[in-house]
Amino acid sequence: MARGASHGRGSRRSYVLSATGVTIPISRPFLGEEELAAVQEPLRDGWVVQGPRVAEFEAKFSEFTGAAHSIAVTSCTTALQIAVAALGTRPGDEVIVPSFTWVSTANVVELMGARAVFCDVELDSFNLDVSALEAAVTEATVGVIPVHLFGLPADMTAVNEVATRHGLWVVEDAACAFGTKTPEGHAGTLSKAGCFSFHPRKSITTGEGGMITTDDGEFAALARSLRDHGASISDHARHNQKGSFKLADYEHLGFNYRMTDIQGALGSVQMDRAGWILSERTRQAEFYDQALADLEWLRTPKVPAGVTHGWQAYVCLYAPQEPSLANVERLGEARNALMAALEEAGIATRPGTHAPVLTKLYRERNGFGLDDFPQARMAEALSLALPLYAGLPDEALTRVAEALHRLGP
Ligand SMILES: Cc1ncc(COP(=O)(O)O)c(C=O)c1O
């Protein structure tokens, strides 16, 4: 795909921001003429449910990540749910998940009737703390779901070592990890399965959408069946063979988590842009690294040697003092005041993500106190994501950096 023709114009129309006065959004999908053309194809030929465009998207995804199998679904949440179901998770089981992640990492475990056991994260990487992981293992533990938060890989060598020692399965929550690479391979290919998100805040989007990656052929076949009610054959395959009137058999207790071919068409074109999108995000992250280096109160993301950050988000830590449980409330208020001032200046920011352990649901289910997961509490209160997306003009990056210098403590 020629660079100039393809990437010159993303979608321009502003449809969500008028009420806030924000002129620099936190994120925005890059959708151009190719996407507009691609989504029309299934509408024209009438095959709109999971079919050849989803298969094409899956093939491109496998090629990009190096996974042997890719299975497209409706979201990362449903990808995770299929993965934990395929692994036979059941009531009485415990699955370890980080304390700072999107709530679905934990919810998919609880939805199987099993228990999500939280382990705290590290404040400097926002990823799971491996010593806390080890401490959370009990007789009932069956698996662990590390998260590559914001596109920075979790320490999979250490996670896999703990898991092997205790006989646990590992599924990566790679929602944010498109383009995230380690010396051992692309994130999401470093365990039994990886689960990706194509929500518009991720680097490539299908509106909503997700992908399961795995190198295990049997697991892949089961995941394909589970996304489609447990069917023995997909609709598209059945319609394209003699005897198409014969219905599939249903071998498993499945879901309907199929991606539509309209989304598949979109995802396929987004894959053609992926290299450019990721390089733009990296360039912007490098700009922030340099432009914000002199701000002592702001800890910018650190990337270990040998690792390629996927830059789903550029998430800093607001730390005018060393954060602790004693000052987190006060510092959190100051961060919010800064975010409000940035919003006044037309610049959207967000916390990195939330801490499920601080949600009403998990506090009430588990009787958690506010301070039970100190790093998660500080991460939720003090993380600060800055605008970053392919198509964000350089002047906007400069404006964000200037505003942080002007409005910071
Ligand atoms: C770490 C993490 N896991 C899971 C999800 C859920 O992804 P989806 O919205 O595609 O279900 C997200 C989405 O933000 C996420 O950030």
Side-chain angles (χ1 to χ4, degrees):
M1 186 172 280
R3 189 192 175 286
S6 308
H7 309 306
R9 258 194 75 227
S11 46
R12 290 276 183 269
R13 203 174 305 160
S14 189
Y15 44 88
V16 284
L17 306 170
S18 48
T20 60
V22 160
T23 51
I24 306 181
I26 188 74
S27 179
R28 161 157 230 180
F30 192 95
L31 302 168
E33 296 302 323
E34 289 82 354
E35 281 83 352
L36 276 172
V39 296
Q40 292 176 42
E41 281 179 34
L43 303 183
R44 287 216 171 87
D45 70 28
W47 190 274
V48 289
V49 294
Q50 181 201 306
R53 286 109 185 168
V54 167
E56 187 181 317
F57 179 31
E58 290 172 339
K60 288 182 184 175
F61 204 83
S62 286
E63 194 184 333
F64 187 88
T65 57
H69 309 276
S70 296
I71 301 116
V73 290
T74 52
S75 68
C76 179
T77 304
T78 57
L80 287 164
Q81 194 175 4
I82 287 175
V84 295
L87 287 159
T89 312
R90 54 175 192 233
D93 290 345
E94 291 181 1
V95 176
I96 302 173
V97 302
S99 53
F100 186 57
T101 176
W102 191 244
V103 73
S104 46
T105 320
N107 285 356
V108 295
V109 175
E110 300 264 332
L111 284 166
M112 297 304 298
R115 187 156 170 258
V117 172
F118 293 94
C119 77
D120 216 354
V121 294
E122 297 171 339
L123 210 47
D124 54 356
S125 68
F126 296 121
N127 279 331
L128 169 155
D129 174 347
V130 180
S131 59
L133 165 64
E134 180 94 54
V137 177
T138 72
E139 285 291 300
T141 312
V142 295
V144 50
I145 310 181
V147 180
H148 306 299
L149 208 55
F150 314 135
L152 181 70
D155 183 349
M156 288 305 294
T157 307
V159 170
N160 282 328
E161 192 276 316
V162 173
T164 306
R165 199 148 31 78
H166 294 280
L168 314 177
W169 52 253
V170 181
V171 167
E172 293 155 81
D173 181 336
C176 311
F178 183 72
T180 298
K181 291 184 198 141
T182 73
E184 289 73 41
H186 196 290
T189 67
L190 309 171
S191 65
K192 174 59 90 182
C195 298
F196 293 82
S197 173
F198 306 123
H199 179 274
R201 273 211 57 193
K202 308 302 190 281
S203 297
I204 62 165
T205 189
T206 55
E208 299 277 1
M211 191 74 82
I212 305 169
T213 48
T214 184
D215 286 341
D216 179 335
E218 257 179 57
F219 180 91
L222 180 54
R224 282 183 201 286
S225 175
L226 287 177
R227 80 172 157 185
D228 187 14
H229 303 287
S232 54
I233 182 171
S234 77
D235 275 1
H236 192 255
R238 190 167 56 80
H239 280 254
N240 282 288
Q241 67 183 18
K242 283 252 180 250
S244 61
F245 55 87
K246 285 185 207 143
L247 295 180
D249 196 0
Y250 289 82
E251 304 170 338
H252 308 285
L253 187 61
F255 312 96
N256 178 357
Y257 290 160
R258 294 175 310 221
M259 175 180 274
T260 68
D261 242 29
I262 306 168
Q263 293 169 296
L266 188 51
S268 196
V269 175
Q270 289 268 284
M271 285 305 295
D272 297 339
R273 295 190 191 283
W276 175 77
I277 287 176
L278 291 168
S279 70
E280 276 299 285
R281 298 179 85 96
T282 303
R283 190 178 67 78
Q284 293 173 11
E286 284 168 1
F287 173 90
Y288 280 141
D289 282 347
Q290 284 189 5
L292 307 177
D294 59 330
L295 294 179
E296 281 174 11
W297 53 271
L298 193 70
R299 295 187 196 164
T300 53
K302 298 281 167 287
V303 186
V307 157
T308 304
H309 200 305
W311 297 117
Q312 180 268 328
Y314 190 89
V315 183
C316 307
L317 191 77
Y318 178 84
Q321 288 147 28
E322 187 59 36
S324 70
L325 288 177
N327 63 18
V328 65
E329 196 154 339
R330 184 170 48 79
L331 292 183
E333 277 165 19
R335 182 209 61 174
N336 288 349
L338 172 63
M339 290 168 94
L342 288 163
E343 192 176 69
E344 278 299 303
I347 297 166
T349 58
R350 295 284 184 274
T353 184
H354 66 175
V357 290
L358 298 177
T359 59
K360 184 170 187 284
L361 174 74
Y362 285 103
R363 275 191 289 126
E364 287 184 359
R365 277 197 169 203
N366 295 339
F368 290 149
L370 282 182
D371 294 346
D372 287 3
F373 297 88
Q375 310 301 313
R377 175 146 190 231
M378 290 186 259
E380 182 178 279
L382 305 179
S383 54
L384 181 69
L386 303 181
L388 181 115
Y389 58 92
L392 178 63
D394 288 352
E395 310 86 77
L397 290 167
T398 307
R399 228 180 97 196
V400 174
E402 279 171 6
L404 284 165
H405 281 85
R406 191 173 68 249
L407 301 169

